[in-house]
Amino acid sequence: MSLLRLEKNDNDQLTKDLIVGDRQFHLEGSEGVIYFSEDNQFAVKIYRSCSDKRKEEIRTLIKLAKNVQRKSLLWPIAIAKTMNGEPCFGIVMKKAPKHVVPLGDLVFSPLEATIRFKQGWKWQDFFTIALNLAREVHSLHQEGFIHSDLHFNNILVDLSTLEVYIIDLDSVGYKNLIKAFPKGLWGFKAPEIILKNNPTIFSDLYSLGIIILWTILFRNVMLPQMCHDNKSQLNDYTIAYTEKASFSENEKNKVNWHEKIGKPLYYKGALSYRSLPKPLQQLTEQTFIDGVFSPIKRTTTEEWIKGLEKVMPLFIPCHDSDCQQTIFSLSLLNYNSEICPFCGCKIQSN
């Protein structure tokens, strides 16, 4: 066990001291080490390094976040100043509920999704997660914050309720008071973040679109399918996710197309965005065809919320009793295939 001494804070749940376990957690892309309190109520991130300016911005963030009352946004609530008597700088956050998992554990590939299907989940459950995520990012933007670092590792899902929790909120930006501190992971970062490191609401919208579609299609719709530099992975990724970035189903640029798209998922295929109702197809095109290099055209949080809410009541059971999946009626689609995207049986037109 280790003893943390905290800076003075106004949180009723915290005293001047906090005891944490010795087990350390190192997350990909994280700038610090994570510990959990002995009572399992709090998570603590101890930074490896942190500038004085950044420390002051985090203190300002803690004051601002007290006015945002949403249990799903796990803000920093206090500062750790010593650990076992040694100087340190860290943040204390409320721990997420017990039954949460990182979103990537559910949707990283069709394999993870299929595990849930075998446990009785339906396709619409993943739409519920996507809708809940859109609502949380919307609330963040409504309060004037930019997340700047949305990816699978900082989105948690409660398996019992499908509620979404957003963590790593110490990287957010706020108007002119706090500069966003994007770290990001390849595959989630907008082209302008990679090239200019200039986070905006529009770069959040790119990341949000990636995650929403990954959550309901179980794949990254912008995943590169070819190598652009076989001598440098960094340069290869930079080219693939910036100047050569292309939506996997862009009819005018098929550089990232792959042959599994549109084939039944249960037969090692990949879900097409055209298996979604037309409103969601349009929102997808707004962000990943029209908006890849024109950020202002990207689908807003409000549009994602309205689009997902609109289709939630429209699921129907697949007509193959062995499939046990929920899908959309053929009349809602704009697609030349008339088969269930999961099992491949024919979809009825009504």
Side-chain angles (χ1 to χ4, degrees), residues 249-284:
E249 297 184 66
N250 187 342
E251 293 290 342
K252 296 180 180 179
N253 182 357
K254 295 191 175 183
V255 65
N256 287 335
W257 179 273
H258 64 86
E259 61 182 12
K260 292 184 178 181
I261 292 176
K263 294 183 179 180
L265 192 78
Y266 292 161
Y267 294 92
K268 298 183 179 180
L271 295 183
S272 167
Y273 88 111
R274 294 187 182 278
S275 61
L276 307 175
K278 294 175 208 174
L280 294 185
Q281 293 182 34
Q282 292 167 356
L283 297 183
T284 299

Side-chain angles (χ1 to χ4, degrees), residues 121-336:
W121 286 42
K122 304 298 182 187
W123 196 19
Q124 66 197 81
D125 292 319
F126 293 94
F127 280 71
T128 298
I129 294 170
L131 175 57
N132 287 339
L133 174 61
R135 287 170 173 163
E136 297 309 327
V137 176
H138 178 68
S139 69
L140 201 62
H141 288 175
Q142 286 290 95
E143 296 291 341
F145 293 97
I146 299 169
H147 189 285
S148 83
D149 194 30
L150 287 168
H151 55 72
F152 280 161
N153 287 349
N154 52 36
I155 298 169
L156 307 176
V157 179
D158 188 323
L159 296 178
S160 60
T161 64
L162 303 186
E163 292 179 317
V164 167
Y165 293 82
I166 300 180
I167 61 175
D168 261 5
L169 289 170
D170 54 320
S171 65
V172 303
Y174 182 79
K175 300 180 180 178
N176 294 324
L177 289 177
I178 302 174
K179 183 181 168 102
F181 195 76
K183 301 176 291 291
L185 294 178
W186 291 105
F188 299 91
K189 296 186 285 188
E192 65 271 18
I193 292 288
I194 298 170
L195 293 175
K196 300 179 181 179
N197 203 32
N198 181 31
T200 64
I201 279 182
F202 301 114
S203 56
D204 269 7
L205 295 178
Y206 181 94
S207 301
L208 176 64
I210 288 285
I211 299 170
I212 285 176
L213 290 171
W214 206 326
T215 300
I216 60 181
L217 297 180
F218 317 122
R219 64 185 180 90
N220 183 350
V221 298
M222 297 295 290
L223 185 68
Q225 295 297 313
M226 64 181 297
C227 178
H228 301 280
D229 187 338
N230 58 13
K231 295 182 180 179
S232 168
Q233 185 182 63
L234 176 60
N235 192 46
D236 176 39
Y237 281 3
T238 299
I239 294 171
Y241 285 111
T242 58
E243 62 186 273
K244 297 294 185 181
S246 179
F247 177 53
S248 59
E249 297 184 66
N250 187 342
E251 293 290 342
K252 296 180 180 179
N253 182 357
K254 295 191 175 183
V255 65
N256 287 335
W257 179 273
H258 64 86
E259 61 182 12
K260 292 184 178 181
I261 292 176
K263 294 183 179 180
L265 192 78
Y266 292 161
Y267 294 92
K268 298 183 179 180
L271 295 183
S272 167
Y273 88 111
R274 294 187 182 278
S275 61
L276 307 175
K278 294 175 208 174
L280 294 185
Q281 293 182 34
Q282 292 167 356
L283 297 183
T284 299
E285 292 166 1
Q286 275 181 221
T287 296
F288 296 112
I289 295 180
D290 303 333
V292 173
F293 302 112
S294 300
I296 198 171
K297 295 181 180 179
R298 293 172 188 164
T299 303
T300 65
T301 53
E302 296 99 320
E303 289 172 323
W304 278 120
I305 291 168
K306 289 178 182 178
L308 288 163
E309 286 178 340
K310 185 175 182 179
V311 305
M312 287 301 292
L314 304 179
F315 283 93
I316 60 171
C318 174
H319 298 288
D320 186 335
S321 58
D322 292 331
C323 180
Q324 297 185 342
Q325 195 48 260
T326 51
I327 57 176
F328 294 103
S329 167
L330 188 61
S331 63
L332 300 173
L333 309 180
N334 179 21
Y335 194 30
N336 60 7

